[in-house]
Amino acid sequence: MQARDVETSFARNSPLSVQVEDDRTGLSLETLKRAFLDNLFYVQGKSPDIATAKDYYMALAYTVRDRMLHHWLSTGQTYRRTHARTAVYLSAEFLMGPYLGNNLINLGLYDLFEQAMEELGLNLKEIMDQEQEPGLGNGGLGRLAACYLDSMATLEIPSLGYGIRYEFGIFEQAFHDGWQVEKTDQWLRWGNPWEVRRPEWAVHVKIGGHTEGYTDHQGRYQVNWVPDKVVRGIPYDTPILGYQVNTANTLRLWRAESPESFDFDAFNRGDYYGAVNSKIISENISKVLYPNDDKLEGKQLRLEQEFFFVSCSLQDMIRLLMSEGLPLEQFPEKFTVQLNDTHPAVAIAELMRLLVDDHEMAWDLAWEITQKSFAYTNHTLLPEALERWPMYLFGSLLPRHLEIIFEINRIFLDQVRLKFGPDNERIARMSLIEETGGRYVRMANLACVGSHAINGVAELHTELLKETVLKDFYELFPEKFVNKTNGVTPRRWMVLSNPRLAKLIDQHIGTAWPTQLDQLSKLEAYVDDPAFRNEWREIKQANKRFLTARIERLTGIKVNPDSMFDVQIKRIHEYKRQQLNALHIITLYRRLKQNPDLEITPRTFIFAGKAAPGYFMAKLIIKLITAVGDIVNRDPVVRDRLKVVFIPNYNVTNSQPIYPASDLSEQISTAGFEASGTGNMKFALNGSLTIGTLDGANVEIREEVGAENFFLFGMTADEVTALKASGYQPWQYYEENAELKGVIDLISSGFFSGGDTETFKPLIDNLLQQDRFTVLADYQSYIDCQDHVGKVYQQDQENWLRMSILNAARMGKFSSDRAVREYCKEIWHVDPVSIELQEYSKMVAHIQEGAI
Ligand SMILES: *Cc1c(COP(=O)(O)O)cnc(C)c1O
């Protein structure tokens, strides 16, 4: 490697360099091929005769990364030089998806690399398939963070994402006898070519212990936190490219290690194993992602994770501020910090501690800075997801933060009393400490008090927040509340994952739409154009054939690409109501059994999604779906008119070929429970029609695409609330609806469980007795709507096609670029900074004096 470096740097500086393109930056086909083979040889240490598919992937990843570094370093340099105001996204999850294809798209080099690989006898897509995606998130919340990073870079917004570099991301889902089984996600096994470890910017994080008050030299009361352990956070940086701009921002993920001189005491006592053990304990903090979606797991390690990455990130921001020579008071001018849910909300107490204790700032000034710095995004109304930590646990890990929270609370509750008088119930609800039935620290309350802006993620969700879980806070701080409807990046969710459709669109409306998604409306002019319509239909068919082959490879099931692809892919949760979808399948199956010659629209029901490992009911829903598939897929009476497939291990990689191949998008959550959804947007953008409730962003999607192009069913959120208030009795729906009764009885009879009546009993009992998510109440409305969907698909294909085109054409609003622009304008007040690529020779011209 050394010799090669000398050679290329010589080539760079010599007059000959006009002929010899640089290995690391050159873009001719010859150079790309040579650079790829060089990386295979010199970085992977392999010659082609023994190289594996993984080696080719790594060599290609390094070749692409080389072509990003100039962007990345120029971006950093520009931000430092201009003291750029920076949007910081603090998130416990980043579900980034595979990088290689996305980086090629954003660099504008996809086709070129495809050709270079082809000339070497390799296939780019097959190489891309080798990538193990960093599954550092559970679902929508983590994927939203990823879409926002993509949009911030594309809009040239100076930004930093901070999170945790989990060694094991979300588990891999496999199946045994139709049940989900979890396998650890060893995404780092083959190495990660996109990250750069930065040990020189490591920080220390204190945990546990106690506090001691003292009076400083100026006679002021100060507090010293004496921890019982210290862990070291090491940053790992990944460049986040914008689409066809020079900007490359940074995603900085923290890994926990033990401090350099780990457990010195143990060493001195000669306790070598004890010392090593403390190292292992430190590393546990960033070991594994908690696999719960919309559910709090109140474990000590989880709180340690949250505090760990928050403290690392805030210390890092202060370092960056100081390295630019700016005073601490400028923190809220330099940074605006978005809290992605309450997972990082302890940042409010930690910034106070850093300012007041470590930097000896007066409380009032520190509080002003803190409130100015933070904004909070709420992601759910589900009470079981609202984070609250037992006070004894919180205090034992973060004794100083508990004191700070008490002080924030004391001042805050005085403010509440001032405004509302001695309303003790209101004070009890708003207190940062819950005192009824055990004492807890309420993270959402902390986030509301410590932030200058609070947002929900769809219009309905924000309204419900103001009316329900955050009502008291809305009454006190109405000016803090804003809505920011979610969005998705059209680069990954269209350009990369649906290249044929993207190309068709390019040919008709030009190539600006990936960054100006509103331009898709120009497609409306072609909605009656026969050639365009044909191509649109052809592309959907081709995408379906591609998915058909993939389904057979992954599940062994042969599906018919001419059937309707009816798709529900998302985390498995009772509120998302995959069980309602299953009831529909069984309804159709029973109709065929009763009348084998019944005319029905052939459908392929496609499911994918993980259940949290400890969520029994979600796992049982998966088992129900696979069990129904086992019967339906084999029953000769069905004659292949119905097929049910469960695609294993839903993640970004596996989802990308599904959205473009879908005809019908299932967005059937109980109204009032899905905060926004983003899967709904990916489907509609790719020309899939939605069957859905008035929930989350479905409401706005329907508004945009037009009610006539959306299959609506079910109760509204208000109707759900009213039904429950009036005493919902689900079994009445069962008793009064013969078809529903037949379906439920068929499950209860053991028909789908080999005669065993126990397997699905908990699910059926739950539906008949509680049915918290009003599945039975919405059943008939759903079935009627599905019957209508089937008819339109079968009998009015021209209209279906028209609706498909109009859905895509009217999705402009749901670009994450629009969402990020709104955050910038209304919450962050951050402006774009365009990046000029610095000249390489100038960037490396001067070794800093005293560098070594
Ligand atoms: C988009 C996406 C989600 C969110 O899907 P919803 O249908 O909005 O719940 C979850 N997981 C992955 C991998 C995604 O790509």
Side-chain angles (χ1 to χ4, degrees), residues 95 139-140 143 493 569-570 576 650-652 655 659 677-679 682:
L95 191 48
R143 184 53 232 175
W493 297 112
I569 54 172
K570 48 181 75 247
K576 292 177 184 272
Y650 181 56
N651 57 16
V652 176
S655 80
Y659 295 107
T678 49
K682 302 169 204 166

Side-chain angles (χ1 to χ4, degrees), residues 95 133 138-141 143-144 147 293 488 492-493 569-571 575-576 650-656 659 666-667 674 676-683:
L95 191 48
E133 72 169 74
N138 276 285
L141 175 148
R143 184 53 232 175
L144 184 76
C147 283
D293 199 47
V488 298
R492 180 176 293 274
W493 297 112
I569 54 172
K570 48 181 75 247
R571 285 299 289 252
Y575 86 77
K576 292 177 184 272
Y650 181 56
N651 57 16
V652 176
T653 306
N654 291 330
S655 80
Q656 283 179 190
Y659 295 107
E666 298 269 357
Q667 307 301 335
E674 187 72 270
S676 165
T678 49
N680 46 5
M681 301 169 188
K682 302 169 204 166
F683 278 107

Side-chain angles (χ1 to χ4, degrees), residues 834-851:
S834 68
I835 305 298
E836 260 185 67
L837 292 187
Q838 312 291 300
E839 210 176 307
Y840 173 82
S841 57
K842 283 197 188 133
M843 291 179 87
V844 299
H846 301 289
I847 303 285
Q848 293 292 316
E849 213 167 308

Side-chain angles (χ1 to χ4, degrees), residues 83 320-327:
H83 304 299
L320 288 167
L321 187 75
M322 303 233 163
S323 75
E324 286 182 21
L326 298 173

Side-chain angles (χ1 to χ4, degrees), residues 75 79 82-88 152-153 155-160 247 249-250 334 336 824 828 830-835:
T75 301
Y79 291 167
T82 61
H83 304 299
R85 177 165 168 78
T86 301
V88 169
M152 288 189 283
L155 295 172
E156 304 180 299
I157 299 300
S159 72
L160 254 171
T247 300
N249 288 325
T250 296
K334 174 69 192 171
T336 173
C824 284
W828 300 339
V830 174
D831 295 316
V833 172
S834 68
I835 305 298

